[in-house]
Amino acid sequence: MNQIIELPGRAERAATDASVLLDCRNLSRTFIVGGSLFSKAKELRAVDRVNVSVRRGEVLAIVGESGSGKTTLGRMMLGILPPTSGEMLLDGKPVSGIDRKTLARRIQPIFQDPYSSLNPRKTVAQIIGLPLAVHGIEAGAARDRRVEEIMERVGLSRRLIHSYPNQLSGGQRQRVAIARALVVQPEIVVCDEPTSALDVSVQAQILNLLVDLRNEFNLTYIFISHDLGVVEYIADQLAVMYMGQVVEAGPRHEVLEQRRHPYTQALLGSVLTPDPSLGLPDLQIGRGFPDIMHPPSGCHFHPRCPSAMPVCSAVEPPAFRDSAGLVHCHLFSGEGSSATRPIAQ
Amino acid sequence: MAISDINPAGFVRGPASDEIFEALPPSPRELMRRRARSHGGLIFGGGFVLLVVALAILTPWIAPYDPYNQDLSARLIDPIWGAKGSWAHLLGTDALGRDFLSRLMYGARVSLTISACASLISAIVGATLGIVGGYFGGRIDGFVSYLINVKLSLPPLLVSLSLVSVVGGSVTALIFIIGFLTWDRYAVVTRSVSMQLRNQEFIAAAQAVGASHTRILLTELLPNVMNQIIVIASLEMAVVILIESVLSFLGLGVQPPTPSWGLLVAEGRSFMFFKPYLIVIPGLTIFLMVIAINLAGDGLRDVLSPEGRN
């Protein structure tokens, strides 16, 4: 694991500034699906009692397969989707008590698809200037100057200022989205799979840009992704989600190294390699993603878990917490079995 | 295997690719201009409409006679191509000796004013309902859908007939009645477009910035449905002209002696068998105008939103 590229300043920052900036407590979001005269509405638990927190200046990566609730969690953090229950604390104060505009200046998003995240009828200047207009920051020439400054900072040529999104490449579009997020100088940026819609070569540029900007503006990232290579590169903390719940969380190094939850093992084992002779990875968890409308009893992962025990289908696993982080699994509940559990490689 | 092995080698720190000398692809406006230039229907239809509108605007200065001025010594003179035609009255005169060309030109002013204002009202009403319903969804959308269904079940001609017979046929009344009876198509289209746009990430980005709903509706959604509104407006305009003509023809629209195209047809009805030009000329004008507007509307659709073709 020593090949992991260390980010500049990571160690110092973790040592000096360890205050929790954003703290999600028992955050849940339920969607009501269907429901008409003849059929009863059903509840979909997209996010289920999630506890995650991120310290100032750190990068919290949230990983999980499609449908695990990552994006819903991100939208709640942005304040565009109210949580059904639970609360979020920003700097120790509940977010629900913070005015929407004030919150918007502190938390900003970067979305996955730069083709749908930019209004096709607006110029780059209007798109990046929108947050300034909404918050009444600067006007006229001063606003244009500010837009130009941030464009320069994210590596966009100034002559693109009056062009439309359809004239830009995917990487340029994502730079516009980054500029729009950073123009109000937020503290937290929620990056919802910011590189997954881009070419691999462009992904690297955008990731490096995000890392540079983080160091320059002392940003805190919530980095939602299913690309483990990217996560390994950028994250400080890691939370693994499965069916709306966090199954394992902790410092990136510990989670990637120890892989205590069987789902984490499967997820990390599913990474494709560039060498085709190795074939597809064998997951041993079956292919079927359970019906999210009817989550399995007990531990949601038990139907696919290679180490499932009778207790798994009956009792929801309690949280087990130690220096290496948090894990929700019966393998680690009771009798301190965690210390002796062999690490599957 | 350790995942660090598959860490992409491309994660090298370097300057962003320098695209300064690369030519930009054409802007949306430039693309529209290109499509418009090669569209025959738009050029012909739009040209005809613009010509008629220009003539209607300039009528007070270029019309040869006062449209209300009766000259009983010059009744029912044939147009210039007729047997007894004269250069004094290019399109002849009507039963009261009024110059028919002047009546037609002033009639264009009345008919076009009514159809333009009515289209504007229906566009504002329909687009507002459609955008609000599509964006907010839920109960608000349920209410908008209910209104649309109610409106769709009303036959516009029948309702306008009964309404006009109650409130009387002034130009203002016609504008409002027709305007409030033709907004359904705007609402249906803008609602479905807004529902698609609502889930786009740029709307979420605007929400995350703290933009108010009003701002999102006006500055994020509206520009994206504007093209559709323009296209529908151009097509609805033809329908409105027809409704106005029908109402005036039936005597429930514009009241004589004010000229309008439908009224000209109605006035010529009694002389239809021996002076057919009295209904052929205004009838042909209505026909050509409707065709031209439809051609222009089709062309606008092709130019403004080519995604919808085929």
Side-chain angles (χ1 to χ4, degrees), chain B residues 192-273:
Chain B
S192 67
V193 174
S194 306
M195 281 169 96
Q196 288 164 14
L197 290 171
R198 174 176 69 157
N199 297 320
Q200 299 266 318
E201 283 173 345
F202 68 84
I203 299 291
Q207 288 169 342
V209 146
S212 63
H213 287 312
T214 321
R215 183 188 281 272
I216 292 176
L217 287 173
L218 289 181
T219 71
E220 301 291 317
L221 266 179
L222 189 61
N224 283 289
V225 294
M226 209 58 209
N227 286 351
Q228 274 90 344
I229 294 177
I230 292 172
V231 171
I232 303 169
S234 64
L235 297 174
E236 285 288 291
M237 197 110 150
V239 176
V240 171
I241 286 183
L242 281 179
I243 294 182
E244 187 275 323
S245 303
V246 170
L247 288 177
S248 301
F249 176 79
L250 294 175
L252 291 164
V254 177
Q255 297 303 312
T258 313
S260 95
W261 289 348
L263 199 59
L264 290 185
V265 179
E267 287 173 352
R269 200 184 39 193
S270 35
F271 305 94
M272 155 166 140
F273 291 110

Side-chain angles (χ1 to χ4, degrees), chain A residues 100 116 119 135 167 208 212, chain B residues 12-13 25 202 209 211 219 224:
Chain A
R100 208 165 87 90
S116 94
N119 192 334
H135 295 284
Q167 299 172 279
N208 284 328
D212 289 345
Chain B
V12 280
R13 230 162 265 270
F202 68 84
V209 146
T219 71
N224 283 289

Side-chain angles (χ1 to χ4, degrees), chain A residues 139-333:
Chain A
R143 185 180 292 168
D144 288 348
R145 228 181 357 264
R146 196 144 165 189
V147 168
E148 282 180 10
E149 272 167 28
I150 195 79
M151 281 176 74
E152 203 164 300
R153 191 56 210 85
V154 301
L156 278 171
S157 159
R158 186 174 295 189
R159 87 208 159 93
L160 296 174
I161 192 162
H162 295 303
S163 45
Y164 288 87
N166 80 319
Q167 299 172 279
L168 307 179
S169 68
Q172 287 172 329
R173 283 162 171 252
Q174 200 59 304
R175 285 174 200 269
V176 173
I178 293 173
R180 171 180 56 190
L182 296 186
V183 75
V184 289
Q185 298 169 334
E187 294 160 67
I188 304 177
V189 179
V190 178
C191 311
D192 189 353
E193 311 211 20
T195 58
S196 60
L198 304 173
D199 289 347
V200 176
S201 58
V202 183
Q203 283 186 10
Q205 293 172 8
I206 295 295
L207 274 183
N208 284 328
L209 175 65
L210 287 174
V211 170
D212 289 345
L213 292 170
R214 170 195 169 201
N215 293 331
E216 186 175 332
F217 298 114
N218 193 24
L219 297 171
T220 304
Y221 286 150
I222 313 283
F223 202 91
I224 298 168
S225 183
H226 58 241
D227 186 338
L228 291 163
V230 169
V231 166
E232 182 174 14
Y233 176 66
I234 202 167
D236 297 305
Q237 299 284 326
L238 196 55
V240 181
M241 283 188 76
Y242 183 75
M243 291 192 76
Q245 297 179 324
V246 171
V247 294
E248 183 167 359
R252 169 204 58 162
H253 196 74
E254 308 289 345
V255 174
L256 292 180
E257 190 94 329
Q258 300 200 11
R259 309 176 175 193
R260 295 193 289 187
H261 196 284
Y263 178 66
T264 312
Q265 291 165 20
L267 194 67
L268 298 183
S270 68
V271 174
L272 289 173
T273 62
D275 182 359
S277 65
L278 293 175
L280 290 172
D282 183 12
L283 298 188
Q284 300 176 337
I285 59 165
R287 298 222 154 61
F289 188 74
D291 182 7
I292 186 94
M293 302 301 301
H294 306 97
S297 58
C299 171
H300 289 344
F301 188 58
H302 82 261
R304 302 170 81 187
C305 181
S307 341
M309 301 175 289
V311 63
C312 296
S313 58
V315 184
E316 198 169 308
F320 173 80
R321 212 180 280 271
D322 66 5
S323 63
L326 164 95
V327 57
H328 282 270
C329 181
H330 284 297
L331 292 173
F332 296 91
S333 59

